[in-house]
Amino acid sequence: MSLTGDQMELREEDIRKHYPAALALLEGFDHTPRIARAGEPVATERSSGVGTRRRFRSTTPGLVTRSTVRPEGVRLLERIEAADDGEALVSPLQAVAMNAVRRALAIALALAEGFGEATALAGLKRANLAGDLPAGRKGEFSELLAAEALISLHVFGNALAYLLSSHGSEVSVEVGDVEEVLSDNGQLALHGALWELDQKLASMAQDETRMVAVMSAYAEQLMEKVALRAQSAAHLGAFTGAVWKVEADDLVIRGFTPAGKARSTSLSMSFKKPEEVIGNHIAKYQSMKLAKMLMAYDFDRRLNPFAELGGFIFTFMGDGMPGTGKTTLIQMMAGLINEYCSVAGYPFRYQNLSTENIDSYQGKSGQNAKDFVNGILDPGVIGFGTIDDIDQLAGKRGDRQSSAGQLEITAVLMESFAGANTVVRGNCTFGMFSNFPENVDDALRQRAGARFLVDGPQTREDYVDILHLLLGRGHEIPLGDHEAFAAQEIRKAVSASFAQHARPREAGLLEVFDRVRGEVGELDTIAKMGRYLKAIQQADARFTGRAIKNITDAVKVRAMDFELPDEWMENPELFLFKGYDEKRAMIEELRVPVTSEMVLQEINRYADSEFRYADKSDEAAIEDMVREFERTEVAKKRFLEGRG
C-alpha cells in the first residue's frame, strides 16, 4: 500500500495476489451454517445429470477428477452460470458477475491483510501458529479477529455492490435479512457470506438479470448489517481512520460507508433557462443561488463551505396552484446544475421519487425511498432529488386513506431529512413539490428548511412576458408598449418580493401581527420578535421550535444574499478548483450583515405558509364532514322509506 494525499492506495499487485485464493473460494468449499438455516436442498439439482450443466474441470491436462464437494458445499461459479436456463455458453453478464465477485473477494482479502499488518493482528497470528500466544493477549487476539471479520465482510459487500452498480436493471428483489454474519475471523466470515449468497441465488435468481439484482441487494443488506455490528466492535480505528483508493476501479473505501458509483445520471428532461421562468421571483432566485451553492462542495474535504457557514438549503418545499410553474422550476434548476457540473467535470445525479415507487409489498416502498435518498446523498456526486406531488406519495399519519406504502415513505423521508443520523455535507439538495401542501404530514412538511411559494405570473408585465414567450416567433403580432422580460430582472423583482413580507398576507397571521405590534411597537429587537413568535405559537400550536430553526436557517440564507459570480462557474480555476479553506474565505467576503428587517420578513414568510396550509387543511376537513353528513341524511331517508 502507498500513500497518495489523504488516501492510502490499495495497490493492484496486492489485490491480484489474492486472486487464486478468491477463485478457490468461488470454485467450491464446505460450510455448515451456524446462524442461518439452509433452504431447500437445491444443490443436488445443480448436478442432476451428465450434460445438463457446464462443469468446471481441472486445468491440469489429462487429469480427470471427481468433485469432492459434499452436496451442501458452496460452488458459486456454478450457481452463477446456472442462472441462464441451460444456455451452453457463459453470457457477458454472467462473466461480469463472476469477475466482480472474484475481485470483490480479492479486495476484501487485501484490505484485511493490510489491517493485520497495521495492527498487532499479524504478529498475534504468527505467535498463535507457533504456539507462543501469551495467555494475557488471547482476549485482544479474539477482538482483532472479530474486527478483521467485520472489515472483510463490509469491504466485500462494498466492492461487490460498487462493481455491479453499472450493470443493474429495473428489476429489484427483496433478499430478506442477512443472518450468517460470523465474526470468528476474516476467512470464516467470507465463507458464511458466500454460503448465504449462494442460498439466495438458488431461490431467487431464475435468470441472469435477477441474478445481478440478487447479488447487488445482498451486498447492500450485508453492508447494513455489518455496519450496525461494527458500532460496538473494538480495534477498528486502523480501518475507519484511513481512506483506501483502488485506482483501477476508481473505488474509494471510507470505513463502513458504502461507496457510490460517481457517475452522472443522463437526463432526458428539457431544461429551461432562468428567463423562461416567468414570475415566481423568490423561488427562482433561491433556486439559482442554490444551484451555485452546490458547486462550492469540496470533494476532498467532503464538505461545502455554505453548509459550515450556514445558509445552505438542504430541503425545501415548493407549493402552488396547478400550472404555476413547479415543473418549470425543476427543469431550470436541474439544467443549471447540469451545466455547471459539465464545465467543472463533476458527476451530477438527478432523481425523482414518484408514485411508481409505492409498492404493495410490505417494506418495499420504504426501501425504494431509502435507495432514492442514498443515491442523492452519495458524497461522490452533486445530487438533486425531487419529490413531485409529495401529498400523493407520502402518507399523512392518522389519515385512514394513507396506504402502508405511503406511510413507509413518510417515515423514511422524515428520518433522512432531519433524523439523528442526518449529515448535511452540502453536496445535494432535496425539493418537495405539491399543489396541496396541507395534505402533507405536518412533521414531514416542517422538515422542509425553506419554503418556495410557486404562484406563477402575478403582474400585468408577467402576463405579457409569458404570452410573448409561449407564442414564440411564428407570428407578426407587434409587442406593443412593453419591454420584454424587463420585469423579470431578478434583483429588482426579488427585492420587491421580499419587501412584500414586511407585513403578513394571511388574515389570521395579520391579526396576530397587528395585535403584538400594537402592544410593543415596531418589531425591531430580538425580544419583540420573540414575543411575536410566541403569539404565533398560541394561535397555531403546530408552530414549534422546528419552525424557529427553519426561520433562522432562512435568515442565514439571506445573509448569503449574493450569487456566486457567473465567471466562477464558467472558469473553474477561479473558484471551483481551489482548496476548501480558500473557497470558504472567498464566500465569507461576500456575506452581508443580518438585519431586523430580514428576520421579520422571514418570520412572516414562513408563518404565512403555515397559516395558509392550516386554513386549507381545515377547509378540506370541513368539506369532508359536510359530504359525510349529506350521505348520512340520504342513507337515513332511504332506510326509513324502505321500512315504510
Side-chain angles (χ1 to χ4, degrees):
M1 296 186 185
S2 61
L3 185 66
T4 57
D6 65 339
Q7 295 179 346
M8 294 290 290
E9 181 189 3
L10 191 56
R11 297 180 302 183
E12 191 64 19
E13 54 265 36
D14 291 333
I15 296 171
R16 287 183 175 271
K17 76 178 185 181
H18 291 284
Y19 271 11
L23 183 59
L25 284 174
L26 296 178
E27 287 180 329
F29 65 90
D30 293 343
H31 179 77
T32 302
R34 288 166 41 185
I35 302 174
R37 278 197 286 177
E40 294 298 318
V42 292
T44 56
E45 185 276 333
R46 201 163 33 185
S47 304
S48 56
V50 178
T52 60
R53 288 278 187 267
R54 298 181 303 278
R55 300 298 303 236
F56 280 89
R57 294 187 173 88
S58 169
T59 56
T60 306
L63 178 61
V64 179
T65 59
R66 180 184 301 176
S67 174
T68 58
V69 180
R70 297 196 303 271
E72 69 270 21
V74 180
R75 291 174 286 178
L76 205 58
L77 287 181
E78 288 188 20
R79 183 72 74 191
I80 292 172
E81 64 172 345
D84 59 4
D85 198 24
E87 175 60 39
L89 295 176
V90 174
S91 72
L93 191 56
Q94 287 172 314
V96 164
M98 291 176 180
N99 281 283
V101 73
R102 181 185 67 166
R103 186 158 179 84
L105 281 171
I107 291 171
L109 292 169
L111 235 168
E113 182 181 57
F115 170 76
E117 295 295 338
T119 61
L121 180 58
L124 291 174
K125 280 184 176 181
R126 289 190 290 269
N128 187 55
L129 285 173
D132 298 332
L133 181 66
R137 302 196 69 180
K138 287 184 178 180
E140 179 190 2
F141 184 42
S142 296
E143 290 178 346
L144 283 166
L145 286 173
E148 178 195 53
L150 294 175
I151 292 166
S152 300
L153 288 173
H154 196 278
V155 172
F156 169 65
N158 201 354
L160 183 59
Y162 181 88
L163 294 170
L164 291 176
S165 62
S166 56
H167 299 281
S169 66
E170 297 300 320
V171 174
S172 61
V173 295
E174 284 294 319
V175 296
D177 194 21
V178 172
E179 298 176 336
E180 192 72 357
V181 178
L182 307 178
S183 56
D184 300 62
N185 57 65
Q187 187 78 8
L188 187 60
L190 291 174
H191 281 196
L194 293 174
W195 174 86
E196 191 162 16
L197 176 58
D198 181 68
Q199 292 281 308
K200 294 186 184 299
L201 287 171
S203 60
M204 302 179 189
Q206 292 87 356
D207 54 54
E208 61 180 21
T209 302
R210 289 183 65 82
M211 171 198 68
V212 172
V214 169
M215 294 174 73
S216 299
Y218 174 75
E220 297 285 350
Q221 291 295 318
L222 178 64
M223 281 191 286
E224 188 173 328
K225 187 71 169 278
V226 172
L228 287 172
R229 186 82 63 86
Q231 292 177 1
S232 58
H235 303 291
L236 290 171
F239 175 65
T240 57
V243 179
W244 280 270
K245 176 74 176 288
V246 182
E247 195 66 42
D249 303 312
D250 195 28
L251 167 63
V252 178
I253 298 172
R254 297 175 182 270
F256 293 96
T257 301
K261 200 73 168 177
R263 294 184 179 177
S264 300
T265 303
S266 59
L267 296 177
S268 57
M269 70 167 64
S270 58
F271 297 137
K272 300 293 184 183
K273 298 290 185 183
E275 57 268 21
E276 296 179 282
V277 180
I278 306 300
N280 296 325
H281 301 302
I282 292 179
K284 179 167 71 171
Y285 177 58
Q286 292 194 323
S287 296
M288 293 169 65
K289 281 176 57 181
L290 182 53
K292 290 183 177 179
M293 282 183 181
L294 287 167
M295 299 307 296
Y297 177 69
D298 189 279
F299 283 89
D300 291 329
R301 189 75 67 89
R302 301 217 162 191
L303 185 63
N304 193 319
F306 283 103
E308 183 182 0
L309 294 170
F312 181 79
I313 301 173
F314 179 55
T315 53
F316 64 92
M317 174 168 280
D319 72 277
M321 296 293 290
T324 51
K326 291 183 290 299
T327 301
T328 305
L329 202 66
I330 293 171
Q331 292 171 325
M332 182 203 78
M333 187 170 170
L336 288 174
I337 302 172
N338 185 65
E339 179 182 339
Y340 298 153
C341 286
S342 297
V343 172
Y346 292 166
F348 172 46
R349 183 175 295 155
Y350 168 79
Q351 279 184 267
N352 179 59
L353 188 68
S354 68
T355 51
E356 294 177 357
N357 295 103
I358 301 174
D359 201 286
S360 57
Y361 288 99
Q362 184 175 2
K364 182 59 178 173
S365 301
Q367 185 61 50
N368 290 341
K370 194 67 177 176
D371 291 344
F372 159 76
V373 170
N374 288 340
I376 300 301
L377 287 175
D378 180 356
V381 303
I382 301 296
F384 178 32
T386 56
I387 310 163
D388 210 357
D389 293 322
I390 189 171
D391 53 286
Q392 298 180 34
L393 186 68
K396 193 172 186 178
R397 292 170 300 173
D399 186 348
R400 289 176 294 179
Q401 295 181 345
S402 295
S403 69
Q406 289 174 309
L407 294 175
E408 287 174 16
I409 291 175
T410 298
V412 169
L413 295 181
M414 286 176 60
E415 173 62 26
S416 301
F417 291 165
N421 297 319
T422 302
V423 178
V424 179
R425 299 180 183 276
N427 68 304
C428 64
T429 187
F430 292 89
M432 298 175 277
F433 296 86
S434 176
N435 296 328
F436 305 100
E438 67 276 6
N439 293 336
V440 180
D441 188 272
D442 291 339
L444 176 57
R445 191 177 66 236
Q446 289 176 3
R447 278 163 167 75
R451 304 294 174 86
F452 294 177
L453 175 59
V454 186
D455 51 3
Q458 293 293 306
T459 65
R460 178 184 65 82
E461 290 79 11
D462 286 344
Y463 277 91
V464 175
D465 283 339
I466 195 169
L467 178 63
H468 176 56
L469 174 69
L470 296 178
L471 278 176
R473 299 183 179 181
H475 64 86
E476 296 182 0
I477 304 173
L479 178 60
D481 184 18
H482 177 79
E483 185 180 350
F485 307 119
Q488 311 310 318
E489 199 281 310
I490 196 70
R491 276 286 178 185
K492 177 182 176 183
V494 166
S495 297
S497 296
F498 277 129
Q500 292 176 4
H501 292 284
R503 286 175 59 83
R505 295 182 177 183
E506 295 297 313
L509 181 61
L510 184 59
E511 181 183 341
V512 175
F513 176 81
D514 287 337
R515 174 168 53 80
V516 173
R517 200 173 64 160
E519 294 171 356
V520 302
E522 292 298 325
L523 306 180
D524 52 6
T525 68
I526 291 177
K528 292 178 180 179
M529 286 186 282
R531 183 166 176 175
Y532 177 37
L533 290 170
K534 175 58 180 175
I536 296 173
Q537 185 269 332
Q538 289 173 331
D540 185 351
R542 289 171 291 193
F543 199 80
T544 62
R546 188 178 295 279
I548 312 304
K549 181 184 184 304
N550 290 338
I551 290 168
T552 55
D553 285 346
V555 171
K556 292 173 185 176
V557 172
R558 294 284 298 279
M560 299 292 181
D561 196 14
F562 56 83
E563 272 194 88
L564 298 180
D566 288 335
E567 54 268 26
W568 288 9
M569 301 295 113
E570 296 163 2
N571 184 356
E573 300 292 340
L574 296 178
F575 177 75
L576 300 180
F577 291 170
K578 292 186 180 295
Y580 178 85
D581 294 331
E582 193 170 356
K583 285 181 187 174
R584 190 180 189 277
M586 293 170 73
I587 291 170
E588 281 191 304
E589 288 182 6
L590 298 174
R591 189 158 53 177
V592 299
V594 173
T595 65
S596 58
E597 288 80 7
M598 279 186 195
V599 178
L600 188 58
Q601 288 169 5
E602 291 306 322
I603 291 174
N604 288 336
R605 210 157 69 86
Y606 189 93
D608 264 334
S609 68
E610 284 298 309
F611 273 70
R612 184 170 65 252
Y613 302 155
D615 289 345
K616 288 182 179 179
S617 182
D618 291 345
E619 184 60 32
I622 291 170
E623 289 179 0
D624 287 342
M625 291 180 69
V626 168
R627 283 194 295 270
E628 188 65 32
F629 289 150
E630 289 173 347
R631 284 195 291 266
T632 302
E633 288 300 316
V634 171
K636 282 182 179 179
K637 184 177 179 181
R638 288 185 185 177
F639 177 73
L640 293 173
E641 288 174 352
R643 293 185 65 182

